[in-house]
Amino acid sequence: MFDRLEIRVLPPGRRFAAQVRLWVNGEDIVEETVDAGGCGPYAAVMFPAGRPSPFRATEEARRLELGEPECTGGCCGFLNVVIQRFGQIVQWSDWEVPCTTHTAMPHPPPELHFDVDQYDAEVERAETDRWWQVYS
């Protein structure tokens, strides 16, 4: 059974620009891993105009930063994952999580496996839904 990805962009707040949150199997993986006060990557970085998103999975493994705790990644570290495509599967593995004293999740998330068609469709949907630019 494959994991299911949903990409959401949160509107900007007082402290952060529009940020990306990643829901896997119905759970906000950023909030669970870096805690409620943390933030995901900025939408403008993850969905740059005129270029493919770094969420696009290729056969070449790529480490991607997905979030940081409220105290900042420079203090306690970032949430990182390696994204790679293997035929009809996109794999997220080799997690790095922030210092566990500030997080709700004491261990890294499990290795995740997405159906390539569902994954690509969700990334493409998020790349084209640029509502958040109105607030940037």
Side-chain angles (χ1 to χ4, degrees), residues 45-133:
V45 172
M46 303 289 32
F47 304 112
R51 291 185 307 189
S53 169
F55 284 118
R56 292 275 178 188
T58 65
E59 292 176 357
E60 184 177 331
R62 178 176 55 255
R63 183 163 294 283
L64 191 60
E65 183 182 303
L66 301 181
E68 64 181 300
E70 186 173 22
C71 63
T72 77
C75 172
C76 294
F78 295 91
L79 172 64
N80 291 289
V81 69
V82 172
I83 297 175
Q84 187 171 10
R85 178 186 301 251
F86 295 97
Q88 290 302 110
I89 298 170
V90 174
Q91 176 181 287
W92 286 13
S93 63
D94 299 319
W95 292 90
E96 292 178 2
V97 296
C99 176
T100 58
T101 59
H102 296 286
T103 63
M105 182 181 284
H107 305 288
E111 193 169 277
L112 301 170
H113 300 94
F114 304 97
D115 172 74
V116 74
D117 294 330
Q118 187 273 323
Y119 184 92
D120 286 348
E122 181 60 9
V123 172
E124 185 174 336
R125 182 203 60 77
E127 284 177 325
T128 59
D129 184 7
R130 305 186 73 79
W131 67 267
W132 50 270
Q133 285 184 314

Side-chain angles (χ1 to χ4, degrees), residues 6-14 16-23 28 30-31 34-44 46-47 66 125-126 129-136:
E6 182 181 350
I7 300 171
R8 298 181 186 178
V9 177
L10 302 181
R14 289 186 289 157
F16 300 111
Q19 62 177 288
V20 176
R21 293 309 266 263
L22 304 158
W23 289 69
D28 183 342
V30 174
E31 184 173 304
V34 301
D35 217 357
C39 74
Y42 294 129
M46 303 289 32
F47 304 112
L66 301 181
R125 182 203 60 77
D129 184 7
R130 305 186 73 79
W131 67 267
W132 50 270
Q133 285 184 314
V134 172
Y135 299 100
S136 296

